[in-house]
Amino acid sequence: MSQFQFIHVEKNQGIALVTLNRPKQLNALNRKLLNELNQVFEGLRDDASTKVVLLTGAGDKAFVAGADIKEFSSFNGEQGTELSKEGHMSVFNLIEEFPKPVIAVVNGFALGGGLELAMSAHLRVASENARMGLPETSLGLIPGYGGTQRLPQLIGKGRALEMIFSAKMIDAETALGYGLVNQVVPQEELLDSAKKLAESFMKNSIIAMGFAIESVNAGLLEGSVGYDVEVQAFGDCFETEDFKEGTQAFLEKRKPEFPGA
Ligand code: DAK
């Protein structure tokens, strides 16, 4: 599958290793990468030889440091809402509803859209140097790819809101204690540990796992309007002066001064 600019896919004995490959930008998610991710997952869903998917970032520094701030800093409210909706459907929900296990292999920073991507996977293994957070409020935004819904599902409302309000990162041990990741291992053992986990799953029925994923998701999602509210509120953020100041400050490498109100 070398037709992709930002994604590398390697298949071996039932395991597909999907590597997001923009290491100079810490694998930040731009539209092209998200589009490619959609194509990769649609291909793997229909590929009978793939039983389990591992999703990771290139390099030893980052899983994904968020959505590409340069790209989204010029979006308006309508584009924000539209792209958030599109991203939910084409990538994050596709992964969450994927009928075979998807394991996020968190090899460094997983921030903003990067943590949201890791949370859309069915489980997460992390390296000891991994750092996770939702820094969106420091940019005048809210998490717009399901983070307001999936983080409280995984770690509870109080801890989730603390992470969102503080915009601070937590380390891998704290994430393990919160239940945000399933395992923490030294970085050099990360991929092997994730592969061992995948192999242990492959001894059981992948078809049954697909039904389990569907059932677990139904229990959490059906009747929930939270994602719709997030999409709308996320778009509204793009119309605020706080958003303009937050993203400009990042690009100019300075601290933001939010006008508020
Ligand atoms: N976007 C674009 N470039 C990024 C980036 C990002 N998110 N994160 C890092 N980079 C770039 C840096 O600008 C830098 O590029 P150069 O200056 O070298 O050209 C390069 O990657 C290396 O980063 P640093 O030099 O900053 O590396 P450090 O080790 O000093 O710091 C860091 C690592 C991860 C702490 C720092 O890079 C950082 O704070 N990164 C930004 C984290 C962040 O705020 N991420 C965004 C969260 S908000 C949307 C839906 C969802 C979202 C947006 C839109 N739509 C539907 C429209 C989600 C938003 C978010 O994810």
Side-chain angles (χ1 to χ4, degrees), residues 29 31 44 108 111 116 238:
L29 306 171
R31 291 186 76 179
L44 294 175
L111 303 174
E116 292 177 294
F238 283 80

Side-chain angles (χ1 to χ4, degrees), residues 170-220:
I170 57 171
D171 62 20
E173 277 307 314
T174 307
L176 185 65
Y178 279 8
L180 181 53
V181 300
N182 299 66
Q183 279 181 24
V184 176
V185 296
Q187 186 161 40
E188 58 281 9
E189 294 169 22
L190 181 63
L191 204 51
D192 279 347
S193 299
K195 283 183 183 161
K196 276 195 193 115
L197 193 61
E199 281 158 9
S200 76
F201 293 166
M202 287 194 295
K203 293 183 184 130
N204 303 319
S205 163
I206 300 290
I207 292 182
M209 282 174 227
F211 284 123
I213 290 164
E214 195 183 343
S215 306
V216 168
N217 286 346
L220 292 170

Side-chain angles (χ1 to χ4, degrees), residues 4-246:
F4 299 112
Q5 185 183 354
F6 295 129
I7 300 186
H8 182 258
V9 182
E10 189 187 310
K11 294 185 198 172
N12 193 11
Q13 299 189 325
I15 300 175
L17 175 62
V18 176
T19 306
L20 308 178
N21 192 18
R22 272 190 99 199
K24 281 194 187 140
Q25 293 80 20
L26 306 186
N27 305 316
L29 306 171
N30 61 13
R31 291 186 76 179
K32 176 107 198 294
L33 189 154
L34 287 170
N35 186 279
E36 291 183 357
L37 203 50
N38 166 270
Q39 292 176 54
V40 165
F41 271 89
E42 289 203 333
L44 294 175
R45 185 184 51 201
D46 302 334
D47 172 31
S49 72
T50 295
K51 310 289 184 204
V52 178
V53 181
L54 305 184
L55 177 62
T56 195
D60 54 12
K61 197 167 166 186
F63 173 71
V64 172
D68 190 319
I69 299 174
K70 268 186 203 136
E71 188 180 68
F72 73 70
S73 61
S74 60
F75 290 168
N76 62 29
E78 206 176 313
Q79 282 171 306
T81 304
E82 206 38 54
L83 289 169
S84 175
K85 209 188 293 174
E86 186 189 306
H88 272 287
M89 298 309 295
S90 68
V91 175
F92 296 79
N93 293 358
L94 177 66
I95 293 175
E96 181 167 60
E97 291 162 14
F98 203 71
K100 317 174 206 189
V102 180
I103 304 173
V105 181
V106 181
N107 56 312
F109 291 111
L111 303 174
L115 180 56
E116 292 177 294
L117 185 63
M119 290 193 293
S120 70
H122 301 128
L123 47 130
R124 287 144 291 284
V125 296
S127 55
E128 286 168 345
N129 64 315
R131 299 281 177 277
M132 283 153 262
L134 292 177
E136 282 86 346
T137 58
S138 73
L139 296 163
L141 274 179
I142 62 166
Y145 282 138
T148 67
Q149 307 302 299
R150 292 189 183 105
L151 189 61
Q153 281 167 11
L154 285 164
I155 69 171
K157 184 174 159 183
R159 284 169 168 166
L161 285 174
E162 184 179 346
M163 282 181 71
I164 292 170
F165 294 167
S166 72
K168 283 192 183 145
M169 299 181 209
I170 57 171
D171 62 20
E173 277 307 314
T174 307
L176 185 65
Y178 279 8
L180 181 53
V181 300
N182 299 66
Q183 279 181 24
V184 176
V185 296
Q187 186 161 40
E188 58 281 9
E189 294 169 22
L190 181 63
L191 204 51
D192 279 347
S193 299
K195 283 183 183 161
K196 276 195 193 115
L197 193 61
E199 281 158 9
S200 76
F201 293 166
M202 287 194 295
K203 293 183 184 130
N204 303 319
S205 163
I206 300 290
I207 292 182
M209 282 174 227
F211 284 123
I213 290 164
E214 195 183 343
S215 306
V216 168
N217 286 346
L220 292 170
L221 292 180
E222 240 142 65
S224 160
V225 295
Y227 287 92
D228 299 335
V229 173
E230 184 192 83
V231 165
Q232 186 56 50
F234 180 73
D236 291 345
C237 291
F238 283 80
E239 296 294 331
T240 67
E241 291 304 317
D242 277 12
F243 165 71
K244 290 180 190 107
E245 167 60 11

